[in-house]
Amino acid sequence: MTGQGRGETSGSAGSVVTEIRSVNNRGLKIILRTSDSVSEFEPKMESLVRQHLHRGSVTVQVRFTPPPGADLPRINADAVRSYAEQLAQVADSLAMGDAVTSTNIDLAHLMQMPGVLESPSAGGQNRSSSEQETAAKWSLIQDSVELALDRFKQMRSDEAIAMAESIEQDMTLIQTRCEEIAKRTPQVVARYQERLRERIEKALAENGLSAGDPVDLIREVQLFADRSDISEELTRLGSHLSLMRGVLVGESAETASSESGSRGEAVGRKLDFIIQELNRETNTIGSKAGDAEVAEHVVEIKCAIERMRELVQNLE
């Protein structure tokens, strides 16, 4: 199933924007696109998405923006002080004390010295504060991803309702065609009996023979009726359609409650299996009936089954 969702969150740790998009896929494929600053959370993100989604090729893009000033380098005051003191000592040892004092040391040059400017994540942070920042960042990411997932699932839910309506239309078509086939079946046997009688009478007349035992004709017609009997296949088709409707109705109720859980994971696969059985029974009917009108109904049923197959293979 296709769908998209967007979630935005912000706090003292920064702001996060999550965008989720999906295209049809029978399994679940997750593609994560994140910035380096949140790449450490990718396993948690994927686990979170897998808790909610079970089908589709899903792209999850997470953008993190730190709070203003948080990404600026920090000045290591101890390093600056150390460089200044060392310069003063060198000046004293070279009798340059009057030339180099604390007032004329060039701070711009000191800023270029190694170790003076530190990255935001370095220096001055103890383990506790670092863990707090990590926890706050993950909390923002989690809220953003879950918000995007909620909106994403709502869009997929709307699409699923439309898909279920389309499937219901095809099931109604199949049921109607099955009823027409059931009406046609007695006529198929009667037509076979009539054609067989005509062929026998013609053959006997051409060879100057008298009519044979009608019991033989009846026996042959009965054998044909047994071979072409499709009542069991029609009954199983009706049973499969009822089962399919039950699955769809049950899933609609689950969707309305907004918590599909593990049941939603199996719906598409269960419907896919039922459709395989529908197709199997339809093929048997087509091969056993041996009638042009029945064959026409079979073609329409198979077209409807194929349309449903394309939908349920992506349904979650």
Side-chain angles (χ1 to χ4, degrees):
M1 295 175 64
T2 59
Q4 62 181 12
R6 178 184 174 92
E8 299 183 40
T9 55
S10 60
S12 59
S15 60
V16 180
V17 176
T18 300
E19 293 181 347
I20 299 178
R21 291 183 174 85
S22 173
V23 295
N24 291 334
N25 195 318
R26 293 188 64 179
L28 178 61
K29 178 182 179 182
I30 299 176
I31 304 171
L32 288 173
R33 295 176 179 172
T34 64
S35 56
D36 293 340
S37 58
V38 294
S39 60
E40 61 181 303
F41 302 107
E42 286 186 357
K44 288 185 176 181
M45 295 181 205
E46 181 169 347
S47 176
L48 184 59
V49 173
R50 288 187 180 275
Q51 292 175 21
H52 293 265
L53 306 180
H54 308 284
R55 273 191 170 186
S57 180
V58 184
T59 300
V60 182
Q61 184 172 8
V62 180
R63 298 192 300 273
F64 172 78
T65 303
D71 55 348
L72 296 177
R74 295 187 175 93
I75 298 176
N76 189 330
D78 292 337
V80 174
R81 187 178 300 108
S82 176
Y83 280 124
E85 290 174 354
Q86 291 180 64
L87 284 172
Q89 292 174 4
V90 171
D92 289 342
S93 65
L94 298 176
M96 296 174 60
D98 294 335
V100 180
T101 66
S102 60
T103 58
N104 62 13
I105 293 177
D106 191 344
L107 289 178
H109 285 89
L110 288 180
M111 291 300 100
Q112 301 175 19
M113 300 298 290
V116 172
L117 295 180
E118 297 178 338
S119 64
S121 60
Q125 285 193 356
N126 57 38
R127 180 176 179 181
S128 177
S129 62
S130 178
E131 290 177 350
Q132 290 176 358
E133 287 185 8
T134 300
K137 186 184 292 187
W138 167 241
S139 178
L140 280 177
I141 295 171
Q142 183 177 13
D143 290 345
S144 175
V145 173
E146 289 181 342
L147 180 58
L149 283 169
D150 288 341
R151 293 172 177 172
F152 175 84
K153 289 193 293 183
Q154 181 58 51
M155 182 175 179
R156 291 183 97 178
S157 176
D158 296 339
E159 182 185 0
I161 292 174
M163 292 169 66
E165 291 175 352
S166 177
I167 292 173
E168 176 61 36
Q169 292 176 0
D170 282 323
M171 286 194 295
T172 301
L173 182 150
I174 293 173
Q175 189 169 354
T176 301
R177 295 286 179 170
C178 286
E179 292 171 357
E180 294 297 323
I181 291 175
K183 294 177 183 178
R184 177 66 179 170
T185 300
Q187 301 177 38
V188 173
V189 177
R191 283 192 60 192
Y192 176 79
Q193 181 175 352
E194 183 62 28
R195 290 198 308 268
L196 184 60
R197 179 183 292 111
E198 291 175 356
R199 291 165 58 187
I200 292 174
E201 290 177 352
K202 182 179 178 181
L204 291 173
E206 289 176 352
N207 293 277
L209 301 174
S210 59
D213 190 347
V215 174
D216 293 334
L217 176 63
I218 294 173
R219 184 183 300 111
E220 181 63 27
V221 172
Q222 185 60 48
L223 289 173
F224 173 79
D226 291 340
R227 290 196 304 268
S228 61
D229 182 23
I230 55 176
S231 57
E232 290 186 11
E233 285 77 9
L234 290 174
T235 299
R236 285 195 290 267
L237 268 177
S239 177
H240 295 330
L241 289 174
S242 297
L243 178 58
M244 195 165 186
R245 282 194 173 94
V247 174
L248 287 173
V249 171
E251 176 61 12
S252 297
E254 289 287 336
T255 300
S257 68
S258 74
E259 291 294 339
S260 60
S262 60
R263 187 181 187 281
E265 178 180 2
V267 169
R269 292 180 175 86
K270 184 181 294 184
L271 292 175
D272 194 20
F273 174 76
I274 296 173
I275 283 181
Q276 290 179 30
E277 295 303 308
L278 287 173
N279 195 56
R280 191 194 316 278
E281 303 298 342
T282 303
N283 286 334
T284 303
I285 291 173
S287 63
K288 291 175 68 173
D291 179 73
E293 187 172 328
V294 172
E296 181 181 345
H297 291 308
V298 167
V299 169
E300 292 300 325
I301 291 175
K302 294 186 74 172
C303 289
I305 290 175
E306 188 59 31
R307 287 194 297 268
M308 292 193 299
R309 187 200 302 278
E310 292 178 359
L311 291 178
V312 304
Q313 283 181 346
N314 300 302
L315 184 65
E316 181 174 341

